[in-house]
Amino acid sequence: MTSSELWTRATADRYDAEEAEASSAAVLGPTLAFLAELAGDGRALEFAIGTGRVGVPLRERGVPVVGIELSEPMAAVLRRKVDEDTLPVVIGDMATAAVPGGFTLVYLVYNTISNLLTQDEQVECFRNAARHLEPGGRFVIELGVPPLRLLPPGQVAVPFDVSRQHVGFDTFDPAEQILVSHHFTRDGDDGHYRRENSRHRYAWPAELDLMARIAGLKLERRVADWDGSAFTQDSAKHVSVWRKPA
């Protein structure tokens, strides 16, 4: 097992409801179009497929999808939506788990490579993607750019959401390249909030490019979002595409 923190059954059961906006057609449309174009006529492998937020609708678009997922409760929620023959899922970690056959696309979305808490494991994730790719295939990652420029001297926390239902902020340890996401989520209307936190290892785009080079992949494209907008010094995240030589 990698250092990724396991998602529990309680978290899995409420995941889709809490990520309803991220699962909407308006948000997912550009994501699915981007991935489907890269997959072409081949198969796609999703690392950390979770409850199938992306994998299930991508399969419905006609792209054969296989998933790897560390959390059995998350995979169980996916299985309520689609059967194993239609969308197979291997239970295991994305740095080492193997799936038979080759793929034209391997993808890892929603900041999930940061769940691997060491650089070595993140490098192994790239290597695992390369092992599964056919010659000419692509590996795609969606990841936030560390917002360290927002930290004034002496401050370690950056808020990313302040609303009636949810308060979220990240705390940073620059020496270890670890951030902790803190969530206070309103449960019902009684004024009580549920507190959760999760650890992540953040990485800069240039560091990911080096990991890709170690795995034998080459950067083909980097954009600011799934709509293809230009990546700049002010971009809050990136979608990067690395290609395996033909």
Side-chain angles (χ1 to χ4, degrees):
M1 182 185 296
T2 69
S3 60
S4 296
E5 296 176 346
L6 276 171
W7 293 67
T8 65
R9 181 166 301 282
T11 301
D13 285 342
R14 60 175 176 260
Y15 182 84
D16 284 351
E18 293 184 347
E19 297 295 337
E21 182 178 352
S23 303
S24 66
V27 173
L28 274 184
T31 306
L32 299 175
F34 192 106
L35 295 174
E37 181 179 358
L38 290 180
D41 295 329
R43 299 195 304 159
L45 172 60
E46 181 172 357
F47 284 179
I49 194 170
T51 65
R53 181 183 69 90
V54 175
V56 170
L58 186 61
R59 179 66 183 84
E60 291 171 350
R61 282 196 172 211
V63 178
V65 177
V66 180
I68 292 175
E69 174 55 44
L70 182 62
S71 168
E72 292 190 49
M74 293 288 278
V77 174
L78 180 151
R79 195 52 67 223
R80 299 171 196 164
K81 307 171 185 177
V82 61
D83 61 49
E84 176 71 16
D85 290 338
T86 303
L87 202 166
V89 175
V90 172
I91 300 299
D93 70 81
M94 56 189 168
T96 62
V99 175
F103 297 85
T104 57
L105 173 67
V106 178
Y107 65 95
L108 179 54
V109 300
Y110 221 35
N111 302 318
T112 312
I113 193 171
S114 69
N115 290 2
L116 300 172
L117 299 179
T118 71
Q119 186 183 70
D120 285 345
E121 289 172 351
Q122 291 179 352
V123 168
E124 287 306 313
C125 181
F126 272 82
R127 284 177 165 157
N128 200 29
R131 284 192 292 269
H132 285 90
L133 285 173
E134 297 175 348
R138 277 95 169 187
F139 182 34
V140 177
I141 283 181
E142 175 190 23
L143 185 63
V145 176
L148 299 188
R149 289 193 301 173
L150 300 179
L151 287 172
Q155 182 173 313
V156 298
V158 173
F160 57 84
D161 184 34
V162 180
S163 63
R164 183 176 181 274
Q165 292 299 123
H166 177 257
V167 175
F169 62 91
D170 293 330
T171 54
F172 292 84
D173 180 350
E176 297 296 329
Q177 228 167 292
I178 294 291
L179 71 84
V180 180
S181 283
H182 305 263
H183 300 267
F184 294 83
T185 306
R186 191 180 183 94
D187 274 333
D189 296 318
D190 59 2
H192 288 86
Y193 283 78
R194 181 180 71 254
R195 179 178 181 178
E196 299 171 302
N197 60 70
S198 58
R199 295 183 300 151
H200 306 269
R201 182 184 187 273
Y202 61 85
W204 300 96
E207 184 181 5
L208 298 181
D209 290 343
L210 184 56
M211 294 180 189
R213 184 183 302 179
I214 291 170
L217 306 176
K218 183 177 181 180
L219 180 68
E220 182 177 74
R221 186 183 182 196
R222 174 167 290 130
V223 293
D225 210 339
W226 298 104
D227 61 5
S229 53
F231 179 75
T232 72
Q233 63 179 2
D234 297 318
S235 298
K237 75 172 188 178
H238 62 97
V239 176
S240 296
V241 182
W242 297 272
R243 189 170 186 267
K244 184 174 181 176

